[in-house]
Amino acid sequence: MPSFLDTIDPAMLARIQAMRLMDDDFMTVVFDGDNEITEFLLRILLSRDDLRVKKVTTQKEKRNLFGRSVKLDILAEDTNGKVYNVEVQREDKGASPKRVRYNQAMLDSHSLKKKKDFSQLPEMYIIFITENDYYGLGQPFYKVRKTIELATTDSTYLPFDDGCNIIYVNGKYRGNDALGKLMHDFCTPNADEMNYNELAEKVRYHKQETEGVRTMCRIIEEYGKERAAEARKIALAEGLKRGLKNGIKRGVQENAIANVKNLLSLNKLSEKEIADCCSLPLEQVLALKEELKRETASVTK
């Protein structure tokens, strides 16, 4: 009798194998409900060894009755009541300061109960892990410092402490330290190449074990349906039926290209096998392979 893994569509299995922690739909499954692995992540991101996570959820939706709701990748709380929102962003446009502002606003609006004083808002950390170096300065991370400028003096500022700490983490950073090793692990689809066993074990479970792979298949199918439904809703609202078809086609193409690059980095399948799995022409896969070589070379310089 064939196992469950033998019954999966090869294209679906290939897509799962190509996923990385830098892909939010995979990362959220790995961290969901796991206090220990989330605590491990936050301790490295914040260079702390005293942090204790009390609870964690992923893909947590914060609803707004009067405007846009937001779905958070990781939302955690420690034993001291501090709140942590961790987001992964593959595209720069998703990591804009105004996106951070909106996340803070939504979190704040759900953190304070009626008639409670504003001083009771919890201390908050909003951490964006960006696949690219968002600010382009080669730093491992960028901490936002809010200040008050004094008009009567030169270069003198007072701290403006609103209890919200904002950090951008450079996903391209590969320093020989805990953060550099963590960013390497976030950007590889291969658990055997990871530095941290804590992460590698979770990745293997969701890529190799029956129940883990079953969960990933369900998540991918649900995510695909949500994306398609959202695309239809936008297109219908704008009266752009032609735009719907083009938008879905473009989204499928972009996903296929990302999956090809991830599979190429694994170096386990031939270019022809990758082309078949991702439904792209062999010529395009070969071109993407050369592009990936150039990107790798620019990072290692």
Side-chain angles (χ1 to χ4, degrees):
M1 179 180 295
S3 68
F4 171 74
L5 297 181
D6 295 328
T7 65
I8 300 176
D9 180 356
M12 172 72 81
L13 191 58
R15 180 176 178 185
I16 292 172
Q17 296 304 318
M19 284 183 162
R20 310 164 301 157
L21 291 173
M22 190 60 76
D23 299 304
D24 58 357
D25 43 354
F26 185 63
M27 184 267 286
T28 54
V29 173
V30 169
F31 286 91
D32 189 33
D34 193 327
N35 290 3
E36 290 186 5
I37 196 68
T38 305
E39 184 176 294
F40 174 81
L41 171 68
L42 291 173
R43 284 185 170 199
I44 294 178
L45 292 176
L46 299 174
S47 298
R48 289 175 52 184
D49 58 9
D50 61 335
L51 193 150
R52 296 286 185 275
V53 169
K54 181 171 66 175
K55 62 180 180 181
V56 58
T57 57
T58 60
Q59 291 293 301
K60 182 69 174 179
E61 186 172 16
K62 293 295 184 182
R63 295 187 176 276
N64 183 353
L65 294 177
F66 306 103
R68 178 174 176 173
S69 299
V70 66
K71 190 172 286 186
L72 307 174
D73 287 348
I74 295 179
L75 184 60
E77 181 181 339
D78 70 12
T79 52
N80 294 318
K82 296 179 181 179
V83 175
Y84 304 84
N85 169 218
V86 182
E87 302 284 325
V88 291
Q89 293 293 338
R90 296 184 63 174
E91 296 184 8
D92 288 349
K93 65 181 181 181
S96 71
K98 288 190 176 179
R99 170 69 185 273
V100 177
R101 169 185 164 184
Y102 199 76
N103 278 23
Q104 178 183 350
M106 293 300 291
L107 285 166
D108 282 341
S109 67
H110 287 78
S111 298
L112 203 61
K113 295 181 179 179
K114 290 183 178 180
K115 298 183 180 179
K116 293 293 183 179
D117 190 80
F118 293 114
S119 62
Q120 294 180 278
L121 277 170
E123 185 172 355
M124 183 187 306
Y125 288 81
I126 297 179
I127 304 170
F128 273 47
I129 303 174
T130 58
E131 182 163 26
N132 301 315
D133 183 357
Y134 186 77
Y135 288 100
L137 299 176
Q139 298 297 307
F141 56 84
Y142 305 90
K143 292 184 178 180
V144 176
R145 178 178 296 176
K146 302 175 185 178
T147 60
I148 300 172
E149 182 178 0
L150 301 180
T152 56
T153 59
D154 294 330
S155 301
T156 302
Y157 301 87
L158 294 177
F160 182 82
D161 184 9
D162 62 356
C164 181
N165 307 278
I166 300 168
I167 302 172
Y168 282 78
V169 180
N170 178 7
K172 287 196 176 298
Y173 176 66
R174 296 294 184 272
N176 188 27
D177 55 10
L179 184 60
K181 293 175 181 178
L182 180 67
M183 290 302 97
H184 168 273
D185 288 1
F186 258 66
C187 292
T188 178
N190 190 347
D192 294 336
E193 295 179 352
M194 289 186 168
N195 296 292
Y196 294 111
N197 289 331
E198 295 88 343
L199 295 175
E201 289 177 3
K202 296 278 290 187
V203 169
R204 287 193 188 96
Y205 172 75
H206 287 289
K207 291 192 175 190
Q208 300 175 14
E209 299 294 327
T210 297
E211 288 306 313
V213 174
R214 194 191 303 273
T215 298
M216 286 309 306
C217 289
R218 176 178 55 81
I219 293 297
I220 290 173
E221 290 172 353
E222 291 177 354
Y223 186 67
K225 291 177 181 177
E226 288 180 4
R227 289 279 297 272
E230 186 65 23
R232 290 189 183 93
K233 186 187 298 183
I234 293 172
L236 290 173
E238 297 176 351
L240 299 175
K241 293 184 179 180
R242 184 181 302 173
L244 169 62
K245 182 177 180 180
N246 293 338
I248 293 176
K249 183 178 180 180
R250 184 168 57 252
V252 170
Q253 179 78 359
E254 290 174 353
N255 284 337
I257 290 173
N259 289 335
V260 165
K261 288 186 175 182
N262 290 341
L263 288 171
L264 286 170
S265 67
L266 283 174
N267 200 28
K268 291 186 176 181
L269 299 176
S270 69
E271 291 84 356
K272 179 66 168 57
E273 290 172 328
I274 293 174
D276 292 340
C277 283
C278 299
S279 300
L280 285 180
L282 177 59
E283 293 77 9
Q284 188 172 2
V285 171
L286 293 172
L288 289 169
K289 183 177 181 180
E290 292 303 316
E291 180 181 327
L292 189 62
K293 286 182 180 179
R294 291 194 295 272
E295 291 176 355
T296 303
S298 66
V299 170
T300 55
K301 284 182 179 179

